[in-house]
Amino acid sequence: MSNFSDKETIVALATARATSGVAIIRISGKQSLHIVQKLTKKKHFKPRFAYLCKIHQYANATPFINSDEEIVLDEVLVIYFQAPKSMTGEDIIEIQCHGSIPIIDHIIHLITLFPQTRLARAGEFSERAFINQKLDLVQAESLMSFIAAKSIKQAKAAYSNLSGLYSKEISIVSEKLTDLRVLVESSLDFSSEDIELIEYVELSKLLISLKYDIQNLYLKTKDNISINQDIKILILGLPNAGKSSLFNSVSGDDFAIVTPNEGTTRDLLYKTQNIDGCNFELIDTAGLRSSYDDIEKEGIKRALEMSANSDFILWVHNWHATPNKNDIYKDLIKYLDSDSLDKTIVVASQIDKIEVLSEPVETFIENDNGNLKIPMIMISSKREKDINCLKNYISNNILNRTSGTFSAHPRYLDSLSKTLSYIEDAIYKADNDILMELIAEDLIKARESIGAIVGELHNEELLGSIFSSFCIGK
């Protein structure tokens, strides 16, 4: 990422580069107003008002055009956002032109002919907004997450960050760190006068309280990282239980081969499905059993390995063949560990073959001690109303068990982990009456670590990595 220069004006297409009714060209920098005044032959633009103008190409308007003939390229809407009340904190011009690619390209070309004006790099508008303190690093990342959201839930979580929800959480902890550091450094300032402003015991209590706050924020952040990813639902069960039929019915596509023969599915099959505004990745698997076939054995191995990496498991059981909860329970504990059982929902399938079960039934399976309770729904994959019922069941039992109040990224956890480490070092020093100077140093490092999340301290490599992933024009 090259060094930022406020002398350079940048331009880019802010909408998709495709033939369309309307396209938006965005200009940011000191030259923005001058450029549009020249191109439109209009002198006065009141901020935040839309003006219908003609874009001209002629000798006096644009340098290096050696023709006195005036050409009107397009009739456009122009909006002027005056600094600092703009996205980037600089003067911004937005030109809404017709979505003809040759016209778009030519207008942008004309703009770049002005001195100290160039095409914007990917994410440079957001980068300038960050540098000019119009948004912090968390909000900048959330802007990209919002644009790239594949579901309503992801979009809502990203918007929460964009409006400052997570940054506020960081700010609360940061302020507590700063206050504690000031308290410690005040004790150091008055140490020559034999005035102890804070005792080690009291300091330790304050540090422990702060540690709990950071741990809670860490756990909350960890819970919300998955919101940017599809929720993985693994479909498991014995051969011919109806796994592939369920996979096809929920996804609405005959993607998996279904036959009466056992062992038809050998590999993992993936399909994305949106349920109640949230994206799920459905994964069909090989039937679980003892097998001497090398290919089938590999498929079973992959299915069981995926159980540890999935968010939830739908255990499919052929209720028509074996209408017994005890048999289901025995199969579950044979193939799944306790962590996998905690995220399992049993789907008793093929109830359409049982006359007394014409409607879906919600129930549960539990062990003899009653300390394990696994939800269960009885359906037929052939009936649309049953599949809709299952989707509602997934929405109520899975979506409600997943977090998603804000959008989080793995680097936040790394910074919070470092912050926790420095606080734990400070607690050890306070408990052992080690020099206050060293505790103050730990608090400084902790403050820097948590501040890095919102970009208070940053390096070029980090900013380059974040903003280069943005689209051009954003």
Side-chain angles (χ1 to χ4, degrees):
M1 186 175 66
S2 61
N3 291 329
F4 167 72
S5 171
D6 61 359
K7 294 181 180 180
E8 291 182 312
T9 296
I10 57 174
V11 59
L13 179 64
T15 49
R17 191 177 185 277
T19 302
S20 59
V22 177
I24 300 176
I25 296 169
R26 179 177 287 157
I27 316 170
S28 181
K30 293 180 178 178
Q31 286 266 77
S32 300
L33 184 58
H34 169 71
I35 289 170
V36 79
Q37 286 171 335
K38 287 291 186 181
L39 290 179
T40 62
K41 295 199 298 183
K42 180 177 177 58
K43 292 184 178 180
H44 301 292
F45 288 89
K46 188 176 179 179
R48 298 178 181 273
F49 276 71
Y51 293 89
L52 184 64
C53 308
K54 293 177 180 178
I55 295 285
H56 300 269
Q57 175 184 316
Y58 65 105
N60 294 328
T62 311
F64 317 123
I65 304 285
N66 297 317
S67 172
D68 292 329
E69 182 184 359
E70 181 179 323
I71 299 173
V72 175
L73 289 178
D74 194 8
E75 192 167 31
V76 302
L77 278 178
V78 174
I79 304 176
Y80 169 44
F81 299 91
Q82 187 176 32
K85 295 180 179 180
S86 72
M87 173 205 169
T88 61
E90 305 170 331
D91 279 350
I92 280 185
I93 292 290
E94 286 192 355
I95 300 172
Q96 298 181 20
C97 63
H98 290 91
S100 162
I101 292 177
I103 292 297
I104 293 167
D105 289 346
H106 197 58
I107 292 174
I108 291 175
H109 171 68
L110 291 178
I111 292 168
T112 60
L113 294 177
F114 284 84
Q116 294 186 313
T117 304
R118 60 171 175 80
L119 291 173
R121 301 187 308 274
E124 190 169 3
F125 289 94
S126 297
E127 179 189 344
R128 290 189 175 201
F130 167 72
I131 290 170
N132 291 324
Q133 299 182 338
K134 300 299 289 186
L135 72 172
D136 62 37
L137 208 51
V138 168
Q139 291 172 309
E141 287 173 305
S142 300
L143 179 60
M144 191 58 200
S145 296
F146 184 74
I147 294 169
K150 294 186 288 184
S151 69
I152 292 296
K153 190 171 186 181
Q154 288 178 352
K156 286 180 177 179
Y159 186 77
S160 292
N161 277 17
L162 196 54
S163 60
L165 178 66
Y166 189 69
S167 299
K168 185 176 180 180
E169 299 246 19
I170 295 295
S171 177
I172 290 170
V173 175
S174 296
E175 286 176 10
K176 290 181 178 180
L177 260 170
T178 299
D179 291 344
L180 194 52
R181 176 185 149 199
V182 168
L183 196 59
V184 171
E185 291 183 347
S186 296
S187 296
L188 293 174
D189 292 338
F190 289 98
S191 59
S192 59
E193 302 178 28
D194 295 326
I195 299 175
E196 190 70 34
L197 296 183
I198 185 169
E199 298 286 344
Y200 280 106
V201 173
E202 182 186 353
L203 177 58
S204 179
K205 290 179 181 178
L206 292 173
L207 286 167
I208 290 171
S209 175
L210 184 58
K211 176 186 173 181
Y212 288 145
D213 290 341
I214 299 170
Q215 283 177 329
N216 288 335
L217 183 56
Y218 180 94
L219 293 173
K220 193 184 296 186
T221 302
K222 188 176 181 180
D223 286 342
N224 282 271
I225 281 182
S226 62
I227 193 62
N228 289 320
Q229 305 159 350
D230 294 343
I231 297 174
K232 289 184 173 63
I233 299 184
L234 187 68
I235 301 176
L236 284 179
L238 304 184
N240 273 11
K243 299 184 299 300
S244 295
S245 296
L246 181 70
F247 178 83
N248 288 342
S249 296
V250 174
S251 64
D253 190 2
D254 290 333
F255 193 67
I257 297 173
V258 178
T259 74
N261 303 320
E262 293 187 351
T264 303
T265 303
R266 299 290 187 93
D267 208 348
L268 302 177
L269 298 179
Y270 299 85
K271 192 75 175 177
T272 300
Q273 176 72 20
N274 190 286
I275 300 175
D276 279 358
C278 189
N279 271 18
F280 291 87
E281 186 176 50
L282 298 172
I283 308 169
D284 191 18
T285 62
L288 304 179
R289 65 173 177 175
S290 297
S291 175
Y292 296 102
D293 184 289
D294 289 340
I295 298 176
E296 187 177 8
K297 283 168 67 177
E298 179 60 28
I300 293 169
K301 177 187 173 186
R302 293 185 182 188
L304 292 173
E305 287 175 347
M306 183 58 72
S307 66
N309 299 320
S310 63
D311 296 302
F312 293 94
I313 295 171
L314 294 182
W315 181 275
V316 183
H317 176 82
N318 185 344
W319 188 257
H320 174 252
T322 317
N324 191 309
K325 289 184 178 181
N326 288 332
D327 290 336
I328 300 175
Y329 179 73
K330 289 175 183 178
D331 291 336
L332 288 171
I333 61 174
K334 178 180 178 180
Y335 289 106
L336 302 180
D337 59 23
S338 58
D339 290 337
S340 295
L341 288 173
D342 286 341
K343 56 185 180 183
T344 295
I345 294 174
V346 173
V347 179
S349 69
Q350 304 186 38
I351 67 167
D352 55 295
K353 298 177 181 179
I354 305 173
E355 292 184 5
V356 294
L357 291 176
S358 59
E359 297 289 336
V361 177
E362 295 182 19
T363 180
F364 57 85
I365 292 173
E366 62 180 340
N367 60 3
D368 294 336
N369 298 327
N371 57 5
L372 177 64
K373 205 170 187 177
I374 300 172
M376 172 172 150
I377 181 169
M378 305 171 73
I379 66 160
S380 167
S381 297
K382 294 181 179 180
R383 298 194 300 230
E384 185 179 352
K385 64 178 181 179
D386 287 30
I387 295 302
N388 290 334
C389 181
L390 177 62
K391 287 181 179 180
N392 290 332
Y393 194 81
I394 289 173
S395 176
N396 294 330
N397 287 271
I398 292 182
L399 287 181
N400 292 340
R401 288 162 63 183
T402 58
S403 299
T405 53
F406 57 82
S407 176
H409 293 266
R411 74 173 187 88
Y412 305 169
L413 288 181
D414 183 55
S415 291
L416 288 170
S417 181
K418 289 177 180 177
T419 305
L420 269 174
S421 179
Y422 290 127
I423 293 300
E424 286 168 351
D425 288 346
I427 291 171
Y428 173 81
K429 292 181 177 73
D431 288 343
N432 291 275
D433 296 350
I434 296 175
L435 289 173
M436 283 282 186
E437 287 90 338
L438 298 179
I439 297 176
E441 188 66 29
D442 286 331
L443 292 174
I444 291 172
K445 291 177 180 177
R447 181 65 180 80
E448 290 174 350
S449 294
I450 200 167
I453 294 176
V454 292
E456 290 178 1
L457 292 174
H458 56 266
N459 55 56
E460 291 295 313
E461 185 178 351
L462 173 63
L463 293 187
S465 173
I466 291 172
F467 289 111
S468 64
S469 66
F470 282 39
C471 51
I472 304 249
K474 199 59 185 169

